[in-house]
Structure formats: C-alpha cells, structure tokens
Amino acid sequence: MAVVLDLLNKDNRPRHPEKAHRPDQPVQQRKPDWIRVKAPGSPKWAETNRIVRENKLVTVCEEAGCPNIGECWEKKHATFMIMGDTCTRACAFCNVKTGLPEALDPHEPENVAKAVEKLGLEHVVITSVDRDDLADGGAQHFADVIHAIRARSPKTTIEILTPDFLRKPGALEVVVAAKPDVFNHNLETVPSRYLKVRPGARYFHSIRLLQQVKEMDPNIFTKSGIMVGLGEERNEVLQLMDDLRSADVDFMTIGQYLQPTKKHHEVIQFVTPDEFKAYETTAYAKGFLLVSSTPLTRSSHHAGEDFAKLKAARLSKIG
C-alpha cells in the first residue's frame, strides 16, 4: 500500500494535495489469491534501477506503484514517464503526484534515448503525466523523445501512452507525425464512472482521439485500456468495446483496479480470472487484433511481446 504523503520531499507536502482532506475510503486488506506478483530486488532489477537513476529519469512503474515492477525490471523493461513526475490532473485512481509541474527538461529526450540504448531495448514504452499547463500539452516533447530514440536506436520500436491533449488544437498531429509504432491512449473506465474516477477527461474526446490517429496514419497500431472493479457494469464494458472498435482500435487491455491509498477510489469488486477470460473472448469476437485481459494486465506489461503479436495478427488478417 502506497502512502498519501510523499516522503521523498523533506517538507512532507502531500503527494496528492487534492486528496489529503477527502474522507478515507474503505481498503480491501486482503487481495484474492489470483493477485500475486514477483517482488523487486534481483540483480537485473538493480541494474535497471541504476540506469534509470544515472539518467535522472522518471518511470511510471514507480510513480504509479505498478504491481509488475519486479517482473518487468528484471527483464530490463521500464516504462519511461516524461515531462516530470507531477501531473496537472487529479484522477481518483492514480498514484502519480499532482500539483504544478516544473519546466520541461530540454535534456530529457537525449537522456531517455541513452537509457534505451544502454538497456538494449527492442521495444520501449514512453508515457507522461498530463501537462495541461503547456500550450501543446507536451506534444512536441513526445515527438522530440521519439526522434532522439530513433537516432540512437533505429531498430527499437516505440510505443507511446499519451494524455488526451484536451483543448490542445494541433497537438495530436505533431505526435502522429513523429510516427510511433504504437499509439496508446487509455479510456481507463466506462463513461458512467468518468465524473468520479476521471473528472478532468471526456470519454468521447478520448474515443475521437484514437479514431483520428488512424485517420492520420493507418499504419500506426492503436491501443487503449481500462481498469475493472470501479463499479462498472458488464454491459457498459461491452459497449465500450464497441466504441473502441468504431474508432478502429487494434489492441485492448483490461486489468484489475488496485487502490493505491485510502484516499483513492475504493475497489468495488475483484473481478475473477474467469470473468477476465470472458471479456477477452468477447473482445476478440468484436474484431480486436489483440486483447490482454487478466487481473494483472497493465498498459505496458509484456509490451514488446505484444507488439510482435500485433504485427503477426495484422499480417494474418491481410493474408
């Protein structure tokens, strides 16, 4: 369980100031037996950690408290979070720090590229905090990171997980023009839960964003994910699948929501592995090229292996 105070800051300011005065939410003390993860600390994990620290990088693996960090970092798979560690939004599910971010680091694109090269990554995932304070939402910074990685590691495939660039005209065009291999933008939950779970976002704007990526460049794979266990109904998840397919999204991920602190949204339900399997079967029937639906599925978990599957599925469909 993460803490609501950011103990890395000497002044002990709240990590989530907007949540600090909220009433405590019920916390499920014991997780089901099917939610078990590998603990971090192996030699390869330590090497990944060293490279991240040396290049002064931020990872969503740490900031969001991802349960898969032990497994992924042992394989030298880290998801880099660019544009700082402070988000301008305050989603009820997210453990990333919120507040007023610092200025962009002009050296970050090159530092990310160096880390990708040192780790020898065949596939890399780049995400970011929301930067509503920037005129373009950070679109040019995403493009700069993509270009820097291509320059140092031309064979590395690049997956990006972006904000929604809400009210940032022209931003999406800048990112798509940089030609990432995979464009991921998560819906996070069903529309009926947005006001409570993701109040700063707009569901149909996110759907349209994914649709526009395909319109601009049909060769880019598109991807989106949701969490379950937030109070959604099954029929709402099925409608969301239809909405994603109407936007020609290729890949859908579904994972269990886990509550970071008692100030975050409570877990309404732990969805069983059989229910996740049923979602997967339905999603494939609706036409997705690839579906990952398990309790521990996260947006960038097994991203490299999944990219290979995506390419194979597209070729099989064409053939």
Side-chain angles (χ1 to χ4, degrees):
M1 178 65 67
V3 293
V4 75
L5 287 179
D6 186 358
L7 300 181
L8 296 177
N9 289 332
K10 294 181 180 179
D11 57 4
N12 284 343
R13 286 177 296 177
R15 180 176 178 86
H16 305 288
E18 82 296 335
K19 297 182 178 75
H21 302 294
R22 290 181 183 174
D24 291 353
Q25 298 298 316
V27 176
Q28 183 76 35
Q29 295 297 331
R30 178 172 173 79
K31 297 181 179 66
D33 291 339
W34 59 78
I35 298 181
R36 293 290 181 267
V37 297
K38 182 180 181 64
S42 69
K44 289 183 179 179
W45 177 94
E47 184 179 356
T48 302
N49 184 58
R50 177 183 59 79
I51 292 171
V52 168
R53 300 287 168 263
E54 285 179 353
N55 289 279
K56 300 178 181 178
L57 299 173
V58 178
T59 69
V60 75
C61 321
E62 298 168 287
E63 296 299 321
C66 181
N68 300 315
I69 188 171
E71 174 192 349
C72 292
W73 280 32
E74 183 170 337
K75 298 176 181 177
K76 295 187 176 181
H77 293 171
T79 298
F80 299 110
M81 190 169 78
I82 60 175
M83 296 190 277
D85 64 355
T86 304
C87 187
T88 54
R89 296 193 191 174
C91 296
F93 65 88
C94 185
N95 197 42
V96 173
K97 185 165 59 176
T98 55
L100 182 64
E102 297 180 356
L104 294 179
D105 177 3
H107 304 293
E108 184 173 54
E110 186 60 23
N111 287 338
V112 171
K114 287 178 183 177
V116 170
E117 185 178 36
K118 287 178 181 177
L119 288 166
L121 298 182
E122 295 180 0
H123 185 84
V124 64
V125 183
I126 307 295
T127 189
S128 79
V129 290
D130 273 287
R131 290 297 301 260
D132 295 317
D133 59 312
L134 300 175
D136 69 347
Q140 186 58 56
H141 202 73
F142 260 106
D144 291 344
V145 170
I146 294 170
H147 294 318
I149 294 171
R150 294 263 191 250
R152 279 188 171 267
S153 305
K155 293 183 179 180
T156 299
T157 49
I158 301 173
E159 179 173 331
I160 58 172
L161 172 54
T162 76
D164 59 14
F165 301 119
L166 186 64
R167 292 183 287 273
K168 306 292 182 185
L172 183 62
E173 288 83 349
V174 171
V175 178
V176 172
K179 294 191 175 298
D181 296 282
V182 181
F183 188 106
N184 185 5
H185 172 64
N186 286 335
L187 295 180
E188 307 294 5
T189 188
V190 298
S192 70
R193 307 302 299 157
Y194 260 53
L195 188 59
K196 189 171 183 181
V197 174
R198 198 180 176 216
R202 302 293 179 268
Y203 177 81
F204 286 106
H205 169 82
S206 289
I207 291 287
R208 178 60 182 147
L209 184 88
L210 290 159
Q211 185 179 43
Q212 285 179 301
V213 173
K214 277 293 190 191
E215 290 171 355
M216 294 176 195
D217 190 340
N219 292 318
I220 295 177
F221 289 103
T222 49
K223 176 178 175 181
S224 189
I226 63 166
M227 302 165 289
V228 289
L230 285 161
E232 71 288 333
E233 299 289 339
R234 176 177 169 79
N235 67 307
E236 293 181 295
V237 175
L238 301 187
Q239 180 59 57
L240 180 145
M241 291 180 186
D242 289 337
D243 293 342
L244 286 176
R245 287 303 302 133
S246 72
D248 201 20
V249 170
D250 300 302
F251 183 6
M252 182 181 185
T253 61
I254 308 173
Q256 171 69 51
Y257 167 65
L258 298 175
Q259 184 179 1
T261 79
K262 61 187 178 181
K263 298 296 184 181
H264 287 77
H265 196 293
E266 66 180 301
V267 176
I268 304 298
Q269 177 190 10
F270 282 108
V271 178
T272 67
D274 285 346
E275 290 174 285
F276 275 103
K277 184 63 179 178
Y279 277 138
E280 177 190 294
T281 300
T282 302
Y284 272 122
K286 289 180 181 292
F288 290 97
L289 289 181
L290 191 64
V291 181
S292 179
S293 177
T294 72
L296 288 171
T297 289
R298 296 297 182 268
S299 291
S300 56
H301 195 210
H302 299 152
E305 296 95 322
D306 287 341
F307 180 67
K309 293 176 184 176
L310 264 178
K311 289 193 296 182
R314 176 181 280 177
L315 288 174
S316 175
K317 187 176 180 180
I318 293 173

